[in-house]
């Protein structure tokens, strides 16, 4: 009979330990899900910031090309030619 009681006590202890581990793992899982959500949000912010910086870089590059810097003479000429073509198309449409 005492063997049966020892077995039951042992099972109760094991079940208790498993329940504690389960609760700990459940809490850890919740914490990790929150961390993932935070990191995903942070990642989206960084992607948006990168996109904004790329747009600013492109605008600065275009402005530099329009100013006619020595580095971007070819780009400046192409941009001026494109603007002239647009103006010519507008004049042609107005004269119709």
């Amino acid at each position: 009979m005492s063997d049966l009681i020892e077995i039951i006590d042992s099972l109760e202890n094991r079940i208790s330990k498993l329940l504690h581990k389960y609760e700990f793992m459940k809490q850890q899982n919740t914490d990790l899900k929150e961390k993932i959500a935070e990191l995903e949000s942070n990642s989206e912010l960084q992607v948006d910031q990168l996109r904004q910086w790329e747009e600013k870089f492109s605008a600065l590059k275009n402005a530099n090309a329009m100013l006619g810097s020595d580095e971007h003479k070819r780009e400046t000429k192409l941009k001026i030619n494109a603007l002239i073509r647009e103006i010519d198309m507008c004049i042609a449409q107005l004269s119709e």
Side-chain angles (χ1 to χ4, degrees):
M1 186 72 148
S2 69
D3 288 340
L4 186 58
I5 291 174
E6 286 178 22
I7 292 172
I8 291 173
D9 286 342
S10 174
L11 282 174
E12 285 179 352
N13 286 337
R14 289 179 185 174
I15 290 173
S16 176
K17 288 178 183 178
L18 283 174
L19 287 174
H20 287 294
K21 283 184 181 181
Y22 171 74
E23 290 299 323
F24 175 76
M25 297 300 260
K26 189 175 173 183
Q27 182 62 42
Q28 198 173 28
N29 189 24
T30 302
D31 293 344
L32 289 173
K33 284 181 180 180
E34 290 173 2
K35 182 75 173 183
I36 288 171
E38 179 184 331
L39 290 172
E40 285 176 345
S41 174
N42 191 14
S43 175
E44 290 174 8
L45 285 173
Q46 289 179 346
V47 166
D48 288 341
Q49 286 177 345
L50 176 63
R51 192 173 299 120
Q52 290 173 357
W53 282 111
E54 286 174 345
E55 289 172 5
K56 287 179 183 180
F57 175 73
S58 177
L60 286 173
K61 188 176 173 183
N62 289 336
N64 197 17
M66 294 299 288
L67 292 174
S69 69
D70 290 337
E71 292 179 23
H72 303 287
K73 281 186 179 181
R74 183 179 181 322
E75 289 180 31
T76 304
K77 289 178 183 179
L78 291 174
K79 190 69 171 178
I80 290 171
N81 288 338
L83 291 172
I84 291 172
R85 280 193 299 275
E86 285 182 33
I87 292 170
D88 286 343
M89 287 183 357
C90 291
I91 292 171
Q93 288 177 353
L94 288 173
S95 64
E96 289 178 355

